[in-house]
Structure formats: structure tokens, C-alpha cells
């Protein structure tokens, strides 16, 4: 605690200080024609929308810098005594951008006219960062299925979308989705239990409210951070000197959609997405507002599928054991004419209602108090409700996400600016279930299972204070900052339903339960954490065309703690005690990591002999992260005891009404006592996720306003957080568990949370971007990449090895060597190893009609018919994700585990050469796999298979009718998967299952997102 107090005192002492990632900067050198610098030149930057001017003067080295600028369109006026004045025509400043704009002034003649020049190429000359900006024209015009901004992130170099285009499927440079950081107007808008909002909220930040957003994938500078992965910074729209607004509605109806290749009848879907926005001046040139309300209503019939027992098996069990027969009766009845996959079970498919309702609102105020001080306030919220039907029940989720920021910016001197922000972020999550027949869950081998919902609620709060400052001095621009967050997770843990597990159908018939999990009632827990970040950065113009960006960032992620001391119990038997007793009072959940220093350096050079149209960049950075907040906390306190009973040590049969009646035997001689399981055991000496990244890239202006970039990106990850590894397994040689000395529970299901994960990633990226200019915007990205590791992706996301083999006996180095061995088969592709990814988008205002290139003098009638058309589209293609084949033997393995991987049959192709979209549902060659010898682990490696790849094209056609000079009415039609490509889902990867290797459904069973059949959306918009 003393260290934390000292750190807070240091942070406050060094304020003002964190980066203005939601704003833009402009810098450059003013020279004469002989390349001599011009001190004292005046640079006036004029904001087109608000009319506000920002003024700077060049210093003794000819450098000017304007920082903390609102994003938008600007023009620049440059003047100096004795020189001709120069105007630079309209150009844009994007979120998080530091644009370099050098100017050359000519000596004034007796009569000197103003020289108007084009803006310099939009090359990145201040950092080697890999990332990109999604402009408002892309947000507003590109066809997005579901109108969720995260789907557009696939347009960013280094980003991958492995699923439906929502936050939880967004990853950067091969890291986990738990390692991402999301901000709106510079303050945190991430989830807290997870780094993403748990359910796919489409209006948490409505697309109508977003001016633009930037995603930083890798090697970003020291002023950016908060997690080790991608950094997404959104900026809300603001008002201007003119009133602007819109009324709009987007309509979806399954009547216009194609049938999915696996669905004989259409799944009913209707969506109404409507809203209104208004922005304008409260006081001209000083006080502006913007407000938006948006709502979405979905009526969807969701496809539900899963294995259920056959009629004959139900009858057989009901006759032999009526109690077990009641369990099978809880499943839905088979449909008439269904063909069983197996004598005991068959695949059930049905459509059930899944309605979604969202209501969202945002308001933003911007007040320019005087030329030195500006104040901004923004508040937004979303109320979301979703009913999700499952095989045996329906889950009802309600989420509320209010978020707010108050910002005060002060230009203390022309060369010193300070920006302070106060932020609030809330995630109120309620989860409930409907339609349960049984008060517990159960599973029968690979055949079928009955699962219940989590049924919990959580209120998470995040408070943040950030302060950043920028100081210009000579050729240096110094930036320094601090950010303090306080995170709260208040969670009610209702009694977790008990579960029964039978290893096989034969065990079920004999009522030989293999495992029974029982949980005593739990209490509310209150997790707390206070991370603190700070940095210092110097952007040093070595020469007008060479910039060095060198900085040092410090991140202290804090330590999770429990507010209620009565349930603050830490179990770490390998660090501070035995399994029978918790650690001494006052033991932290884990020890603090105080040494997370992150050096980051990059250099950018625009060779003079290439006339300023080319930039060569290189950089390196270190990045830390602490992983998933919820996972770091969950394994520590126990508000109620849980029990795990396992055969053969315990005599288990259904039903178990009272856990104390279970008879267990073992080396401890505990007899009829239950074995308490306190869940996961923590390594108190855990380290934060450690990422190293490096890059080299070349940018070149191939055409006017068009930049081509070729880049290499490399990444290594160490100490990657993985959770719940079973380690107290049986030693086959002795027949005893590894940690029998842990007390009265030698058969406890001991789980260990570890930081021994590692991976590496190498990528070649080619990017083409043309910003919106003369009615055309184009982006295109191709990435060839490969990620390898031992099953860890990052923050609490990863796979468990099939053979733990004395896990805790090894050092970290030994463990890494073990997992990377060919014999073990754990070193392989990461779970998001997408080898080839291509994406492209375009927005094109057709040059036809009055004032355009073609038919520029057309009559109003001709212009009304042929003018005002706009065409836009998105195309994506990628290879498939890695798949690991699992196998559940009929009996437990000698070490007590219940699952493994099968053997690969040498010389047999892994895939069936057929088209699953044309009726051949088999994707994997089942003859390529075989059951391993009894008691032996399979030799198939992790990620041995690839799922099918996908490719999709979405298009939009829009027509605008100008009702008056300011008012326009637009109609629009979007088509998703316009060519109706069959997007295949993943095959069944459970060897021994009757449907092993088969693709039983499409890429997605939702009506929105990537991978649907062809769909249409229609919209109308009134703008003024």
C-alpha cells in the first residue's frame, strides 16, 4: 500500500501529464527556397466546420506545432515578413494523427500575390505505428450488416475478425481479444470483466454518433496503451456553425433474403433500425452541440441445434431406470422423420424466437471559452435486451452501458498545451434463464448434454482521470502524461446448479456416475483494482524530413482485491501453505509487478531525392498487459465451498440429494467426507503479459491522395496468461495423485492458473489507401502471416495441453521446452492463425449530374434521374481457422483425465475433396484418425486441421435527391453476400462422434454479421 501511495504522489506531482489519442496534431518546418529556416513565421489553421482559428509561430529552428486539434477539415495560411504568403487548400486531420506539413516560402516581390498549394502527401512521418483510420464517409456509406462499427475494423492492417464482426471476435497481431483497449473521446469504453462487451451490442456507440475511429495494431508510440493488444480510439461527432441533422431508418426482412444452403426454410427475421440526429451552434464560433437517438428492434427465429436422445433410447432407459428416464425426458422430442446419427442420439434442429431490443442516445457539447480554454462534455448510453434460445432453455440478457467524459483543454502558452479528462464507464449485466425443466445439468460422454445458464448479474464501474501535456521546444515536441483508473466489479454469484457426468452411454445405462460437481450457495463479491499509467515521449525532428520518436512508458496494473474481507481467502499451496488452509491474512491475490517499463522507439525518413512522396519507417516497442480482469480475480476468493466427487474413489450414482452421503475412499482414509474444491490455484509470483514488437515499412504516394504501404511486423509474446490447468492428476506408475500431500482432499480437481504461455507472429502486409478525394475513397489490405505458440493467445485465452506431465515440477524454461517438443504436439498454430487475409472497400460518388464531370449542365429532370448516385462496397476473403481434434475415451486415462486427442493415420489425406455446399457435408476424412492405444495419448497435434475459409462481397447503391440547397432525401439498398456464396461452418472435431468431420451448419446462425446467405437491407434518410 505504501508503494501505491508513493506512486500516486509522484503521479500528481508530475502532472500535468496521457496522450490526446482522440485528437490530431499538425507540425512542420517553414523554409525559404534556399532551404534556410524562417523563424517567426505565422501559421494559421482554420477549422472549416466551426470557424475557429488555431495560431502558431515558428521557433528559432523554423518548427511550428499545433496539438490537441479537433478532427475535421482545415485550411492553412502561412505568412512571414518579407515573404510571399502561402495558403494550403482544404485537407483533413484524422483521429490520433500527427501530420507533417512543411512549407517553402518565396521572397516577396513588389506586388506579391498569395500562393495556393496542395496539401502535402498524407505520409506518416512521426511514428512507425501499424494501424489505420476509418473515416466518417466509410462509417456512413459502407454496407455493414447489423450496423456495428467493429465490423469495419477488418479494414485496418493487422486486424483480424474470426467471427461475426463484433468486439469479442476482433484481434490484432495474433493476440487475444482480452488484450484490446477501447476508448471513446479518449476515455475507457471497454468491458471490465472482459476487455469487450460480453454480448454483441450494436448501439453501445451508434455509427451515426461516430465521427471516425482509429485502430493501432502494433508498434504504437509511448503515448498509447492500457493493454498489450490493439488500441481502438473512437471520436464522437460534434456540432458546427451550421445546423445539420437527419432522420433515418434501415429495414431488414427475410422475405428478401436467400435461403442458407443448410436451411430448408427461411428463418424469420425482421429488423427496424431508426434514429434522429441534430447538431449545430449554441453560440456561433464558440459553443456547439450534437445529439443522437437510435433504436434497433429485431425479431429473429434462431436456429437451435444439438444432440438429443433417440426415442428408442429414451424408452430403453425409462424401462430400466425410471429416474434416469426422467432426465432424458427433459430434452425436446425428435422431429418426425429424423434419421438418428447413432442408436442412442440424433441431431435436433429447430427455430426459436430470439428478439433483441436496443435504445441508445448520445449528446456532446463543445465550448470554446476563449482562445486559450476549451471545455467538452459527452454522455452516451445503451439499453440492450436479448433472448437467446438454446437446446433446453432460453437465456435472457439485459445490459446497460452509460459512459461519460468531461474534458478541459488549456493552451497555457503557444508552445504548451494541457488536456485533462474525467471519465466514467459502466457495464450493468443481467443474465437469466427461462424454461428449465431440471435444476441441474448433466452430460453423457460424446452423446448429449443438458446445460444451464450462468444466471448471474454484474455491475461494473470504471472511473478514470487523465491529464496530458505537450511542450514544443526547438526541434523537440515533448509529451508526458498520466492516467489513473479505478475499476469495480460487483457480482452476485447465485447457487451454481450441480452437474452429473457419465463417461459413456454404457456408464449411463449402468448409472455409474464418473463425476458429480456440487456448489454451496455463494455471496456477492466485489473486486477492485486501480491501474496507473504514465509516459514521457520526445518527437525530435533531426532534420525536416527525419523524425525520431523515442519514449518510455510505465504501466502498473495493480492487484485485484476483494472488498469484503470475510471472503478474502487466497489459496496458493505452492507459495504459502497447504490445501487445507488459506494463505495468511493480508496475502495479496498475487504480488505486484512494479517493473513494467516499456521503451518504444521509431524513426521515419522521407528521402529528399524522392521529393517527399516516400517515407521509410522502422520501430520497436515493448508492451505489457495483465490479462482478463475477471479471470485474475475469479480464482482467488471463495464465498462458498464447491465439491468435486470423482469415481472410482467415490461411490457415485444418480440421484445424489445430500453430498455428505457420498462414500469416498482414498489414501487419505477420509471415508464419507466430501472433498472441497476451492477452484483454481494461483501462482503468487505471476508476471504480466510481455510483448515485444518490431516493424519496418515503406509508404509511397503512388497517385494523388493515394498511399501504398508495404510492411513487415514481428511479435513475440511471453508470460501469456492461461487459466485452469488441471495438475493434480494421477501418476500412472504409482496410481497416486501428484499432490497427495495437500491434505484431506487428495482427489481435489486442482486447477492452476499460469503465465507460461508463449507465441510468436510474423506478417507481411500490403496496404493501399486513397482518402476521400474527388468523390472516391479506396482501401485495400492483404496480409500473409503465421502465428505459432503453445496454445496461449494472451489474456486468459488459450488451449490446455492434453498431457500435463508434472506441470508444476518444471521451471518456466523447462515447461516452454516441453510444450514446444514435437512429441508433445503442443507447439503449433495459434487459435487465430489466419494465414491469408484480404479486405477491400470503396466509396464512389458517380461523376454524373449537375456540377460533376459528366452531364454537368444537365436539366433538373435529367439530373434528378441520373445525378446523385453513389456506389460503395466491401470485399473480404480469408483462409480457415485452425482446428484441434478431440477424443473422449470410454474410460478415463491412467492419469485420471477424461479427454485427449486421437492418432493420425500416416499417409491418409486429412480432408475429403468435396463441396459441402452442394450436399457433401463431410469435410474431414474420418479414416485419417484413429483411437490411440488404451492408456496412451494421441499423436495428432494441436491445430492439425483447418476450417473452411470464407469470402464475401457486400455492396450498396444510394441515390440522393436534393430537395433544396440544404435539404436532401436519400434512398439506399444494401446487399450482403451479394453473390450468395455458401459460407461453411466448422466441422465437428470430436473423434468418435457420429457426425465427426461433418459440417452441419453455416458459418453463422445469426441473421447479422459476416457469413450469412445473401441478404438485403433498405433505408431512407432525410438530411438537412
Amino acid at each position: 500500500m505504501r508503494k501505491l501511495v508513493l506512486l500516486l504522489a509522484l503521479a500528481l506531482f508530475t502532472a500535468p501529464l496521457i496522450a490526446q489519442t482522440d485528437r490530431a496534431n499538425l507540425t512542420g518546418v517553414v523554409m525559404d527556397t534556399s532551404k534556410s529556416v524562417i523563424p517567426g513565421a505565422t501559421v494559421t489553421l482554420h477549422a472549416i466546420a466551426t470557424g475557429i482559428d488555431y495560431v502558431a509561430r515558428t521557433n528559432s529552428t523554423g518548427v511550428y506545432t499545433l496539438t490537441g486539434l479537433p478532427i475535421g477539415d482545415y485550411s492553412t495560411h502561412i505568412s512571414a515578413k518579407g515573404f510571399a504568403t502561402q495558403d494550403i487548400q482544404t485537407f483533413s486531420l484524422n483521429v490520433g494523427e500527427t501530420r507533417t506539413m512543411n512549407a517553402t516560402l518565396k521572397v516577396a516581390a513588389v506586388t506579391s500575390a498569395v500562393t495556393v498549394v496542395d496539401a502535402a502527401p498524407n505520409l506518416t512521418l512521426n511514428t512507425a505505428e501499424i494501424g489505420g483510420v476509418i473515416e466518417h464517409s466509410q462509417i456512413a456509406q459502407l454496407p455493414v450488416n447489423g450496423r456495428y462499427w467493429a465490423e469495419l475494423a477488418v479494414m485496418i492492417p493487422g486486424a483480424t475478425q474470426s467471427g461475426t464482426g463484433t468486439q469479442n471476435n476482433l484481434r490484432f497481431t495474433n493476440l487475444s481479444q482480452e488484450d484490446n483497449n477501447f476508448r471513446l473521446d479518449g476515455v475507457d469504453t471497454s468491458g471490465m470483466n472482459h476487455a469487450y462487451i460480453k454480448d454483441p451490442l450494436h448501439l453501445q456507440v451508434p455509427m451515426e454518433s461516430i465521427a471516425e475511429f482509429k485502430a493501432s495494431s502494433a508498434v504504437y508510440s509511448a503515448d498509447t496503451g492500457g493493454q498489450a493488444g490493439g488500441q481502438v480510439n473512437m471520436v464522437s461527432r460534434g456540432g458546427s456553425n451550421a445546423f445539420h441533422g437527419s432522420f433515418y431508418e434501415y429495414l431488414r426482412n427475410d422475405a428478401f433474403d436467400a435461403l442458407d444452403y443448410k436451411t430448408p426454410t427461411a428463418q424469420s427475421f425482421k429488423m427496424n433500425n431508426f434514429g434522429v440526429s441534430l447538431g449545430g451552434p449554441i453560440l456561433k464560433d464558440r459553443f456547439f452541440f450534437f445529439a443522437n437517438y437510435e433504436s434497433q428492434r429485431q425479431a429473429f427465429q434462431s436456429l437451435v441445434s444439438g444432440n438429443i436422445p433417440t426415442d428408442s433410447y429414451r424408452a430403453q432407459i425409462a424401462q430400466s431406470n425410471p429416474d434416469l428416464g426422467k432426465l432424458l425426458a427433459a430434452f425436446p422430442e425428435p422431429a418426425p422423420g429424423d434419421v438418428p446419427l447413432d442408436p442412442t442420439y440424433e441431431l435436433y434442429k429447430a427455430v426459436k424466437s430470439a428478439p433483441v431490443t436496443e435504445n441508445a442516445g448520445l449528446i456532446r457539447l463543445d465550448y470554446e471559452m476563449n482562445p486559450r480554454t476549451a471545455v467538452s462534455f459527452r454522455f452516451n448510453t445503451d439499453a440492450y435486451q436479448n433472448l437467446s434460445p438454446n437446446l433446453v432453455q432460453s437465456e435472457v440478457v439485459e445490459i446497460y452501458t452509460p459512459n461519460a467524459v468531461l474534458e478541459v483543454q488549456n493552451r497555457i502558452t503557444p508552445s504548451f498545451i494541457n488536456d485533462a479528462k474525467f471519465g466514467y464507464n459502466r457495464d450493468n449485466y443481467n443474465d437469466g434463464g427461462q424454461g428449465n425443466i431440471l435444476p441441474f445439468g448433466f452430460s453423457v460422454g460424446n452423446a448429449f448434454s443438458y446445460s444451464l445458464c450462468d444466471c448471474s448479474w454484474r455491475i461494473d464501474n470504471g472511473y478514470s482521470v487523465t491529464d496530458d501535456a505537450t511542450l514544443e521546444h526547438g526541434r523537440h515536441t515533448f509529451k508526458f502524461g498520466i492516467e489513473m483508473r479505478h475499476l469495480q466489479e460487483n457480482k452476485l454469484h447465485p447457487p451454481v446448479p450441480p452437474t452429473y457426468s457419465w463417461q459413456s452411454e454404457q456408464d449411463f445405462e449402468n448409472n455409474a456416475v464418473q463425476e458429480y460437481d456440487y456448489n454451496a450457495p455463494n455471496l456477492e463479491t466485489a473486486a477492485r483494482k486501480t491501474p496507473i499509467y504514465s509516459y514521457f515521449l520526445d518527437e525530435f525532428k533531426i532534420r525536416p524530413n527525419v523524425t525520431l520518436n523515442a519514449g518510455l512508458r510505465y504501466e502498473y496494473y495493480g492487484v485485484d482485491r476483494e472488498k469484503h474481507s470475510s471472503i478474502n481467502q487466497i489459496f496458493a499451496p505452492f507459495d504459502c501453505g497447504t490445501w487445507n488452509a488459506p494463505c495468511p491474512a493480508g496475502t495479496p491475490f498475487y504480488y505486484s509487478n512494479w517493473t513494467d517499463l516499456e521503451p518504444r522507439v521509431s524513426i521515419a525518413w522521407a528521402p529528399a531525392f524522392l521529393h517527399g512522396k516516400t517515407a521509410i519507417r522502422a520501430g520497436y516497442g515493448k508492451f505489457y498487459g495483465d490479462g482478463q480482469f475477471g479471470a485474475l480475480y475469479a480464482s482467488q476468493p471463495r464465498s462458498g465451498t464447491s465439491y468435486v466427487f470423482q469415481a472410482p474413489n467415490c461411490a457415485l450414482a444418480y440421484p445424489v440429494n445430500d453430498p455428505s452421503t457420498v462414500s469416498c475412499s482414498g489414501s487419505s482414509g477420509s471415508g464419507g467426507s466430501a472433498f472441497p474444491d476451492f477452484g483454481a490455484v494461483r501462482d503468487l509470483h505471476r508476471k504480466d503479459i510481455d510483448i515485444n514488437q518490431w516493424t519496418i515499412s515503406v509508404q509511397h504516394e503512388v497517385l494523388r491522395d493515394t498511399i501504398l504501404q508495404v510492411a513487415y511486423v514481428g511479435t513475440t509474446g511471453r508470460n501469456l496468461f492461461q487459466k485452469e490447468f488441471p495438475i493434480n492428476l494421477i501418476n500412472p506408475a504409482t496410481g497416486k495423485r501428484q499432490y497427495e500431500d495437500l491434505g484431506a482432499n487428495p482427489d481435489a480437481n486442482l486447477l492452476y492458473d499460469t503465465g507460461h504461455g508463449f507465441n510468436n507472429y510474423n506478417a507481411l502486409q500490403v496496404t493501399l489507401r486513397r482518402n476521400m478525394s474527388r468523390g472516391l475513397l479506396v482501401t485495400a489490405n492483404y496480409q500473409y502471416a503465421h502465428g505459432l505458440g503453445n496454445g496461449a493467445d494472451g489474456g486468459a485465452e488459450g488451449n490446455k495441453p492434453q498431457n500435463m506431465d508434472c506441470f508444476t515440477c518444471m521451471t518456466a524454461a523447462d515447461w516452454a521446452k516441453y510444450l514446444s517438443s514435437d512429441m508433445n504436439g503442443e507447439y503449433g498454430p495459434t487459435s487465430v492463425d489466419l494465414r491469408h487475409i484480404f479486405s477491400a472497400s470503396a466509396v464512389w460518388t458517380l461523376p454524373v449530374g449537375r456540377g460533376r464531370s459528366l452531364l454537368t449542365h444537365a436539366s433538373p429532370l435529367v439530373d434528378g434521374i441520373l445525378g446523385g448516385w453513389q456506389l460503395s462496397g466491401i470485399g473480404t476473403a480469408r483462409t480457415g481457422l485452425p482446428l484441434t481434434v478431440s477424443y473422449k475415451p470410454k474410460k478415463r486415462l491412467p492419469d485420471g483425465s477424461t479427454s485427449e486427442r486421437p492418432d493420425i493415420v500416416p499417409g491418409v489425406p486429412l480432408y475429403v475433396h468435396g463441396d459441402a455446399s452442394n450436399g457433401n457435408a463431410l469435410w474431414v476424412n474420418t479414416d485419417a484418425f484413429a483411437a490411440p492405444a488404451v492408456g496412451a495419448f494421441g499423436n495428432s497435434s494441436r491445430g492439425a486441421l483447418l476450417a473452411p475459409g470464407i469470402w464475401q462481397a457486400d455492396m450498396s447503391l444510394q441515390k440522393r435527391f436534393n430537395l433544396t440547397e440544404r435539404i436532401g432525401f436519400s434512398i439506399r439498398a444494401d446487399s450482403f453476400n451479394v453473390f450468395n456464396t455458401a459460407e461453411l461452418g466448422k466441422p465437428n472435431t470430436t473423434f468418435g462422434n457420429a457426425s465427426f468431420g461433418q459440417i452441419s451448419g453455416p458459418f453463422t446462425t445469426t441473421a447479422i454479421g459476416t457469413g450469412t446467405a445473401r441478404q438485403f437491407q433498405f433505408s431512407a434518410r432525410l438530411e438537412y
Side-chain angles (χ1 to χ4, degrees):
M1 184 64 185
R2 182 179 298 175
K3 289 183 178 179
L4 180 59
V5 171
L6 289 174
L7 185 61
L8 284 170
L10 177 64
L12 294 173
F13 178 78
T14 56
L17 302 165
I18 220 85
Q20 303 165 64
T21 53
D22 62 318
R23 291 180 175 265
N25 310 297
L26 182 68
T27 186
V29 179
V30 179
M31 300 171 287
D32 61 22
T33 54
S34 68
K35 302 303 180 184
S36 298
V37 300
I38 303 176
T42 301
V43 180
T44 303
L45 187 67
H46 178 74
I48 305 299
T50 62
I52 297 174
D53 288 336
Y54 303 89
V55 181
R57 289 184 179 274
T58 59
N59 59 28
S60 60
T61 63
V63 175
Y64 73 92
T65 301
L66 289 161
T67 64
L69 301 167
I71 65 172
D73 292 334
Y74 290 88
S75 62
T76 301
H77 181 81
I78 304 173
S79 62
K81 186 176 180 180
F83 293 89
T85 301
Q86 185 179 103
D87 283 352
I88 300 176
Q89 64 181 12
T90 303
F91 60 93
S92 296
L93 290 177
N94 299 125
V95 54
E97 176 186 16
T98 296
R99 184 159 186 171
T100 299
M101 191 172 291
N102 299 327
T104 301
L105 302 185
K106 298 179 181 179
V107 176
V110 177
T111 57
S112 178
V114 173
T115 303
V116 180
V117 300
D118 290 337
N122 196 12
L123 303 174
T124 305
L125 295 174
N126 70 307
T127 177
E129 172 185 304
I130 299 297
V133 172
I134 301 298
E135 298 181 17
H136 182 69
S137 55
Q138 294 172 282
I139 295 171
Q141 306 301 336
L142 290 176
V144 177
N145 195 339
R147 285 179 48 77
Y148 187 37
W149 64 265
E151 190 163 333
L152 290 173
V154 75
M155 300 292 113
I156 303 296
T160 61
Q161 273 283 8
S162 58
T164 57
T166 50
Q167 275 189 27
N168 60 313
N169 282 306
L170 180 61
R171 295 170 173 84
F172 296 87
T173 58
N174 206 53
L175 293 174
S176 167
Q177 79 271 51
E178 297 286 359
D179 299 321
N180 295 332
N181 187 25
F182 300 95
R183 292 173 183 261
L184 175 61
D185 297 324
V187 301
D188 184 37
T189 188
S190 307
M192 278 163 273
N193 183 271
H194 297 278
Y196 51 86
I197 300 299
K198 193 171 181 179
D199 267 51
L201 277 67
H202 292 86
L203 302 181
Q204 180 197 10
V205 185
M207 292 179 66
E208 191 75 13
S209 296
I210 301 174
E212 61 186 40
F213 71 87
K214 176 185 179 182
S216 303
S217 300
V219 200
Y220 36 85
S221 56
D223 56 353
T224 303
Q227 280 293 350
Q231 309 289 316
V232 179
N233 295 289
M234 294 174 282
V235 178
S236 61
R237 294 176 63 186
S240 64
N241 269 330
F243 285 100
H244 294 284
S246 63
F247 296 91
Y248 55 92
E249 180 163 12
Y250 294 78
L251 301 174
R252 287 275 306 277
N253 193 301
D254 61 272
F256 303 105
D257 298 342
L259 298 181
D260 185 83
Y261 78 98
K262 285 288 184 181
T263 307
T265 58
Q267 298 178 64
S268 176
F269 177 74
K270 295 176 176 61
M271 184 187 81
N272 294 78
N273 184 190
F274 52 90
V276 58
S277 68
L278 178 64
I282 298 175
L283 294 174
K284 191 173 182 180
D285 293 338
R286 294 188 63 187
F287 197 5
F288 313 94
F289 79 95
F290 176 82
N292 173 223
Y293 164 77
E294 188 164 327
S295 180
Q296 192 172 108
R297 303 284 190 272
Q298 293 182 31
F300 179 49
Q301 296 293 319
S302 176
L303 176 64
V304 175
S305 64
N307 288 349
I308 61 172
T310 60
D311 284 336
S312 60
Y313 192 62
R314 296 177 198 234
Q316 173 190 335
I317 299 300
Q319 183 176 4
S320 62
N321 190 324
D323 286 335
L324 295 178
K326 293 177 182 178
L327 302 187
L328 301 188
F331 286 96
E333 294 289 335
D338 279 357
V339 179
L341 299 171
D342 182 270
T344 60
Y345 63 91
E346 61 185 89
L347 182 63
Y348 171 85
K349 288 186 177 182
V351 290
K352 298 183 179 181
S353 178
V356 176
T357 300
E358 275 192 85
N359 291 286
L362 179 145
I363 184 168
R364 173 168 176 156
L365 302 173
D366 296 282
Y367 182 38
E368 193 83 7
M369 297 179 64
N370 54 56
R372 294 177 55 184
T373 306
V375 179
S376 296
F377 172 78
R378 186 263 308 146
F379 174 81
N380 67 288
T381 189
D382 183 21
Y384 168 92
Q385 185 182 73
N386 177 27
L387 187 147
S388 301
N390 296 317
L391 184 66
V392 296
Q393 68 164 353
S394 293
E395 186 174 3
V396 180
V397 172
E398 294 180 336
I399 303 178
Y400 305 92
T401 60
N403 186 280
V405 59
L406 174 65
E407 176 184 12
V408 179
Q409 185 184 89
N410 192 357
R411 299 179 181 274
I412 299 172
T413 70
S415 60
F416 183 56
I417 183 173
N418 182 70
D419 198 329
K421 293 186 178 73
F422 306 89
Y424 173 64
N425 185 31
R426 185 182 181 96
D427 179 6
N428 188 346
Y429 178 89
N430 301 293
D431 183 2
Q434 296 179 352
N436 297 334
I437 298 176
L438 300 176
F440 52 81
F442 71 92
S443 63
V444 179
N446 295 320
F448 41 77
S449 62
Y450 188 101
S451 301
L452 305 182
C453 76
D454 176 59
C455 296
S456 63
W457 64 259
R458 191 175 67 243
I459 299 178
D460 299 340
N461 296 300
Y463 305 89
S464 64
V465 178
T466 70
D467 199 280
D468 73 283
T470 303
L471 174 64
E472 179 194 354
H473 180 71
R475 291 180 292 171
H476 299 268
T477 299
F478 299 111
K479 299 180 181 181
F480 39 100
I482 189 167
E483 176 177 16
M484 292 175 282
R485 298 185 192 179
H486 180 64
L487 306 179
Q488 303 174 344
E489 183 186 72
N490 305 293
K491 185 174 182 180
L492 177 64
H493 304 256
V496 178
T499 59
Y500 293 88
S501 299
W502 286 270
Q503 188 72 8
S504 66
E505 294 96 320
Q506 185 63 49
D507 287 340
F508 183 73
E509 295 170 18
N510 297 332
N511 196 11
V513 177
Q514 290 292 322
E515 184 172 295
Y516 174 64
D517 299 340
Y518 170 78
N519 297 271
N522 291 343
L523 304 175
E524 179 183 349
T525 57
R528 300 292 186 266
K529 186 170 69 168
T530 306
I532 302 174
Y533 320 115
S534 62
Y535 80 96
F536 177 83
L537 171 67
D538 179 15
E539 290 183 5
F540 175 34
K541 285 190 174 299
I542 301 174
R543 300 185 63 180
N545 61 338
V546 181
T547 301
L548 175 68
N549 185 314
L552 182 66
R553 186 178 180 88
Y554 176 73
E555 298 190 333
Y556 171 69
Y557 284 97
V559 176
D560 287 4
R561 62 181 179 86
E562 167 58 46
K563 177 182 177 181
H564 305 305
S565 58
S566 61
I567 57 176
N568 192 5
Q569 299 180 2
I570 312 301
F571 289 87
F574 309 122
D575 288 302
C576 61
T578 68
W579 183 250
N580 286 332
C583 294
T587 303
F589 283 7
Y590 45 89
Y591 297 122
S592 300
N593 291 307
W594 293 95
T595 58
D596 289 354
L597 290 170
E598 303 171 334
R600 303 179 192 175
V601 61
S602 64
I603 190 166
W605 173 42
F609 65 88
L610 295 175
H611 310 292
K613 293 189 175 184
T614 302
I616 301 173
R617 308 182 301 149
Y620 162 81
K622 179 176 278 292
F623 308 84
Y624 286 103
D626 64 342
Q628 184 195 120
F629 182 24
L632 287 171
Y633 171 84
S635 61
Q636 304 305 332
R638 285 296 175 265
S639 55
T641 303
S642 60
Y643 298 87
V644 177
F645 304 90
Q646 295 179 343
N649 301 90
C650 303
L652 296 174
Y654 173 79
V656 175
N657 297 316
D658 183 354
S660 66
T661 63
V662 177
S663 175
C664 297
S665 61
S667 59
S668 64
S670 55
S673 66
F675 298 155
D677 171 23
F678 292 98
V681 175
R682 175 72 62 193
D683 176 6
L684 297 187
H685 299 277
R686 65 170 293 274
K687 300 297 182 184
D688 286 333
I689 295 167
D690 184 350
I691 306 297
N692 289 274
Q693 293 179 338
W694 54 95
T695 182
I696 184 168
S697 62
V698 177
Q699 293 181 341
H700 181 66
E701 187 183 37
V702 291
L703 296 170
R704 183 174 179 177
D705 301 318
T706 306
I707 303 294
L708 174 68
Q709 175 177 289
V710 179
Y712 161 75
V713 181
T715 295
T716 61
R718 296 294 182 267
N719 304 329
L720 302 184
F721 182 35
Q722 295 173 288
K723 61 181 181 179
E724 298 183 351
F725 277 56
I727 57 172
N728 196 23
L729 301 174
I730 297 171
N731 184 337
T734 63
K736 297 180 179 181
R737 293 191 180 264
Q738 186 174 345
Y739 300 107
E740 287 202 336
D741 61 343
L742 295 182
N745 59 329
D747 294 294
N749 186 18
L750 188 58
L751 303 176
Y752 194 69
D753 285 2
T754 172
H756 289 320
F758 66 91
N759 64 22
N760 61 75
Y761 168 83
N762 293 277
L764 172 67
Q765 300 170 350
V766 181
T767 303
L768 180 72
R769 181 175 184 91
R770 174 191 171 96
N771 292 332
M772 178 59 79
S773 175
R774 295 170 176 79
L776 177 63
L777 181 150
V778 177
T779 65
N781 297 299
Y782 169 73
Q783 176 173 284
Y784 172 64
H786 194 22
L788 293 167
N790 67 351
D793 294 328
E797 183 186 35
N799 303 306
K800 300 176 179 64
Q802 66 169 336
N803 180 6
M804 295 306 299
D805 192 52
C806 192
F807 173 77
T808 55
C809 298
M810 300 183 183
T811 66
D814 291 338
W815 176 243
K817 182 178 179 181
Y818 167 73
L819 288 183
S820 64
S821 66
D822 293 337
M823 182 177 65
N824 181 264
E826 296 303 329
Y827 186 69
T830 60
S831 63
V832 290
D833 179 37
L834 294 171
R835 195 68 56 87
H836 300 275
I837 305 174
F838 174 78
S839 65
S841 68
V843 178
W844 184 29
T845 300
L846 274 62
V848 179
R850 296 178 67 89
R852 298 181 174 89
S853 300
L854 302 176
L855 300 179
T856 186
H857 301 296
S859 66
L861 177 62
V862 173
D863 183 61
I865 298 173
L866 300 179
W869 288 94
Q870 187 175 76
L871 183 66
S872 61
I874 298 176
T876 57
R878 66 167 176 80
T879 49
L881 286 165
L883 301 173
T884 300
V885 180
S886 63
Y887 172 60
K888 194 167 187 177
K890 297 298 182 182
K891 294 184 177 180
R892 290 179 180 271
L893 294 166
D895 67 355
S897 56
T898 60
S899 64
E900 58 174 328
R901 299 198 287 261
D903 284 340
I904 289 183
V905 179
V908 179
L910 295 178
Y911 305 96
V912 174
H913 296 288
D915 185 358
S917 64
N918 290 328
N920 182 5
L922 193 62
W923 178 262
V924 179
N925 186 353
T926 57
D927 294 333
F929 296 88
V934 177
F937 289 100
N939 63 21
S940 63
S941 62
R942 188 177 52 79
L945 294 173
L946 286 179
I950 66 170
W951 74 273
Q952 180 171 320
D954 305 331
M955 296 188 68
S956 175
L957 183 63
Q958 177 175 296
K959 165 67 175 165
R960 175 182 171 89
F961 300 91
N962 293 318
L963 304 181
T964 69
E965 185 177 350
R966 291 191 54 199
I967 301 176
F969 179 74
S970 299
I971 56 174
R972 171 172 163 175
D974 299 328
S975 178
F976 310 111
N977 193 1
V978 64
F979 300 112
N980 201 29
T981 306
E983 308 291 5
L984 310 182
K986 297 179 182 178
N988 184 309
T989 56
T990 303
F991 178 76
N993 189 285
S995 59
F996 169 61
Q998 296 182 20
I999 295 176
S1000 59
F1003 179 80
T1004 179
T1005 57
T1006 66
I1008 57 179
T1010 304
T1012 65
R1014 181 175 55 233
Q1015 298 171 330
F1016 286 94
Q1017 175 175 270
F1018 303 96
S1019 64
R1021 175 183 293 267
L1022 180 66
E1023 296 178 316
Y1024 51 93

